[in-house]
Amino acid sequence: MTDGIFLGAANGQPQYLNLRRANRHGLIAGATGTGKTVTLQGVAENFSREGVPVFVSDVKGDLSGIAMAGSPTFKNAEKLESRAKEIGLDPYVYADNPAVFWDLYGQQGHPIRTTVSEMGPLLLARLMDLNDTQEGVLQIAFRYADEEGLLLLDLGDLQAMLAYCAENADMLSARYGNVTKASVGAIQRQLLSLDAQGGSLFFGEPALDIHDFLKVDDKGRGYVNILAADRLMQSPKLYSTFLLWLLSELFETLPEVGDPEKPKLVFFFDEAHLLFDDAPKALIDKIEQVVRLIRSKGVGIYFVTQNPIDIPEAVAGQLGNRIQHALRAFTPRDQKAVKAAAETFRSNPDLDIATVITELKVGEALVSVLQEDGSPSMVQRTLIAPPRSRFGPVDAKERAIIRSISPVDEKYDTVVDRESAEEILAARGQAAAAAAQAAQAKDEADKAAAQQAKQEAKRRAEELREQKKAEAAAAREAEKPSALDKAVQSATRSAASSLGRQVANELGKAILGGGSSKSKSGGLVGGLVRGILGGLFK
């Protein structure tokens, strides 16, 4: 067939992955060292050649070689050429592929960022390993930020929002439900841990535009987007959460296309078990939903893992195209994996699948793909086709050159820090502090003015009392007679007294006149008159 991805040959018969069924997802599994990475590289470059953009996570660092053409002088070139000849891949010509390097840390490629709001509380709770109560508080923080128009772009915004929640726990509890400072504190501690893992580099702007993953070059080849994941693997929760977010963004952004002639994007998820390890049921349900529905967006997801039982049954049931490398049956768990893998294939009467899985050589796999009518093909023991690109990593100089000619140029290389929740809440806090300070200053000024008025009133009252005392004293002084008045009064009294006595004497004499018969009575009357007149002039 000419509209398929050449996978290899089984008993001289070519095995193809149908492009029209490539969006039905797939699985590449096998123990360490059995050839999974080489298979992934070969399939990815064939998709690129067919004009299908690809996203791959480069866990070990060696997938970066897909950007460079292979060479007869490179290590293992002889084995690759021998395999090509054995399966009839003629001509086998080394070729490069258009590639874009990405790196969450911005060191080995363009930085990938998203905002806290786009990540959402569910994935963040998974990323920070929050319990149900803490996740509920995080949901409240997001809800309040949304209602208040507060943008949550980076971790600083989320920290500021959580601090606000702690300070206003009573108000938020009455409005949304219980918010405790203890729960907020636990989330903040997890944020610090996330920041230490490089989370601050992942959250921010400019945020990734998913359409930049869907580019083709001027020759019509799809770009291979290579995520440098060697360092990222040291933070497995960040790695798995990022890839789940990426799938969610693809699902929410891309339009419905049904079953296209070829996928719009093929997504290879290496070390897929990290996505499901210790994941809560709500998250598994989310993954299952995305895997089930994203097919209609023209996106194919291929999980790459060591053991097929690492994939939950609900998700594994969606994987129609399967490439199974060798498994080892050394432990009971391994034996269970072998049995499970064997049961997922459409049986082949010529193969004892469970036995063959343990006997496969490096570069050999059991292959079953969806046919034109959507049914799985009979499983075949297949020699996998070698990649045409370099089998090994690029060096720093080659990486720099490839990055310099990237189709996204410097679009994501400079951080943008626009006004968001952190700045708005800080401004509000400053305004509130200034208002409180102004209110305190006004209160202190009012108190000082009142104290001053009280002291002024007291002073005026004291002055009024002193004034009244002075007026009273002056009045008393005014009522007192002067020395002249006293002298006049004394002289007047003396004169009056003397005159009275004289008048009394004269009157007595006149009244009493002479005559003895009347001397006694006249003397009595005269004494009386003198007494009265004398009293008047004292």
Side-chain angles (χ1 to χ4, degrees):
M1 63 186 292
T2 58
D3 55 352
I5 301 297
F6 181 64
L7 298 177
N11 298 319
Q13 296 298 315
Q15 300 293 306
Y16 289 93
L17 173 62
N18 192 333
L19 273 176
R20 285 191 291 271
R21 295 291 179 262
N23 65 326
R24 301 298 180 93
H25 314 313
L27 173 69
I28 301 175
T32 300
T34 57
K36 294 192 308 298
T37 302
V38 178
T39 299
L40 188 162
Q41 183 171 334
V43 173
E45 69 179 21
N46 276 292
F47 272 118
S48 173
R49 190 174 298 110
E50 294 293 335
V52 178
V54 174
F55 178 91
V56 299
S57 52
D58 189 7
V59 173
K60 298 186 288 292
D62 49 5
L63 277 176
S64 59
I66 200 172
M68 305 295 293
S71 169
T73 62
F74 274 90
K75 182 181 178 180
N76 296 319
E78 184 177 346
K79 292 181 180 179
L80 298 177
E81 293 173 2
S82 175
R83 170 59 60 85
K85 183 177 181 180
E86 184 178 2
I87 64 177
L89 183 56
D90 187 31
Y92 176 65
V93 180
Y94 292 109
D96 61 0
N97 299 278
V100 180
F101 291 123
W102 301 90
D103 184 0
L104 261 65
Y105 302 101
Q107 297 175 349
Q108 301 183 66
H110 300 291
I112 295 180
R113 301 184 189 89
T114 186
T115 64
V116 170
S117 294
E118 288 176 340
M119 176 67 77
L122 176 62
L123 292 183
L124 273 174
R126 150 72 171 169
L127 185 55
M128 294 187 288
D129 200 20
L130 303 183
N131 60 33
D132 292 341
T133 301
Q134 294 159 359
E135 183 180 343
V137 172
L138 190 63
Q139 293 270 11
I140 291 173
F142 271 76
R143 175 73 176 272
Y144 182 79
D146 183 58
E147 292 179 354
E148 295 294 316
L150 300 173
L151 296 177
L152 299 178
L153 302 180
D154 54 28
L155 292 187
D157 292 326
L158 186 54
Q159 281 282 21
M161 191 70 247
L162 289 170
Y164 180 86
C165 291
E167 293 170 1
N168 299 272
D170 293 339
M171 180 270 289
L172 293 174
S173 295
R175 185 170 175 180
Y176 301 105
N178 191 32
V179 175
T180 65
K181 292 184 178 180
S183 294
V184 173
I187 300 172
Q188 289 176 317
R189 288 191 295 274
Q190 291 299 322
L191 276 182
L192 291 176
S193 176
L194 177 59
D195 190 14
Q197 295 181 39
S200 59
L201 300 174
F202 177 46
F203 293 102
E205 290 187 314
L208 176 69
D209 180 357
I210 289 297
H211 293 90
D212 285 333
F213 280 169
L214 307 179
K215 295 181 179 295
V216 296
D217 69 356
D218 53 3
K219 297 180 181 179
R221 299 177 300 173
Y223 273 95
V224 181
N225 299 278
I226 304 171
L227 174 68
D230 48 348
R231 178 183 172 189
L232 186 59
M233 286 293 295
Q234 299 174 22
S235 305
K237 283 191 179 296
L238 180 59
Y239 171 69
S240 59
T241 305
F242 159 72
L243 292 178
L244 179 56
W245 162 80
L246 188 55
L247 289 177
S248 300
E249 282 295 297
L250 288 168
F251 172 70
E252 294 172 4
T253 303
L254 298 181
E256 293 279 345
V257 294
D259 288 320
E261 289 298 310
K262 60 184 178 182
K264 297 183 66 174
L265 175 70
V266 172
F267 188 100
F268 289 93
F269 193 161
D270 202 2
E271 299 294 338
H273 66 279
L274 295 175
L275 182 61
F276 306 103
D277 285 350
D278 302 322
K281 185 179 185 304
L283 192 62
I284 297 294
D285 292 342
K286 174 70 172 178
I287 298 170
E288 180 188 357
Q289 178 192 37
V290 171
V291 171
R292 185 175 66 253
L293 299 178
I294 204 172
R295 173 193 61 78
S296 63
K297 305 297 182 87
V299 177
I301 303 173
Y302 287 74
F303 294 96
V304 184
T305 188
Q306 294 186 17
N307 201 322
I309 64 174
D310 293 333
I311 310 297
E313 290 185 6
V315 177
Q318 307 293 324
L319 310 181
N321 301 294
R322 293 172 176 263
I323 302 175
Q324 177 66 62
H325 287 271
L327 292 175
R328 309 306 178 204
F330 299 135
T331 68
R333 186 176 186 274
D334 292 339
Q335 294 169 5
K336 179 181 177 181
V338 169
K339 182 180 179 181
E343 292 174 348
T344 60
F345 287 107
R346 178 181 172 182
S347 62
N348 184 335
D350 297 330
L351 294 176
D352 180 351
I353 300 176
T355 302
V356 170
I357 288 178
T358 63
E359 298 174 347
L360 293 171
K361 301 175 182 178
V362 175
E364 195 177 20
L366 290 175
V367 174
S368 176
V369 295
L370 295 179
Q371 302 178 101
E372 190 66 30
D373 60 1
S375 64
S377 64
M378 189 180 298
V379 62
Q380 298 290 344
R381 184 171 183 169
T382 304
L383 295 175
I384 300 299
R388 301 172 185 266
S389 54
R390 181 188 298 177
F391 186 49
V394 297
D395 58 33
K397 183 178 180 180
E398 291 168 333
R399 185 182 291 272
I401 293 173
I402 294 170
R403 184 173 177 177
S404 69
I405 59 175
S406 165
V408 299
D409 198 18
E410 298 179 354
K411 179 178 179 179
Y412 299 103
D413 293 345
T414 302
V415 178
V416 175
D417 187 14
R418 60 182 171 129
E419 186 180 63
S420 52
E422 184 177 16
E423 291 77 16
I424 293 174
L425 291 175
R428 288 184 184 179
Q430 292 173 357
Q437 187 175 5
Q440 183 180 2
K442 183 178 182 301
D443 185 55
E444 292 176 353
D446 290 344
K447 288 182 179 179
Q451 184 67 21
Q452 184 177 1
K454 182 178 180 181
Q455 292 176 350
E456 181 66 18
K458 183 178 180 181
R459 184 184 65 79
R460 288 182 179 179
E462 186 66 26
E463 288 180 350
L464 184 59
R465 285 194 296 271
E466 292 297 326
Q467 181 181 355
K468 288 182 178 180
K469 286 181 180 180
E471 290 176 352
R476 289 194 297 271
E477 288 296 326
E479 291 176 355
K480 292 180 180 180
S482 63
L484 177 60
D485 291 338
K486 290 180 179 179
V488 170
Q489 290 176 359
S490 178
T492 301
R493 285 195 295 269
S494 297
S497 177
S498 176
L499 178 60
R501 285 193 300 272
Q502 184 178 354
V503 170
N505 288 334
E506 291 297 326
L507 182 60
K509 288 179 180 181
I511 294 174
L512 297 178
S516 55
S517 58
K518 297 180 183 177
S519 59
K520 290 182 182 179
S521 59
L524 178 60
V525 171
L528 179 60
V529 170
R530 286 191 298 270
I532 293 171
L533 292 176
L536 292 174
F537 290 100
K538 285 183 179 181

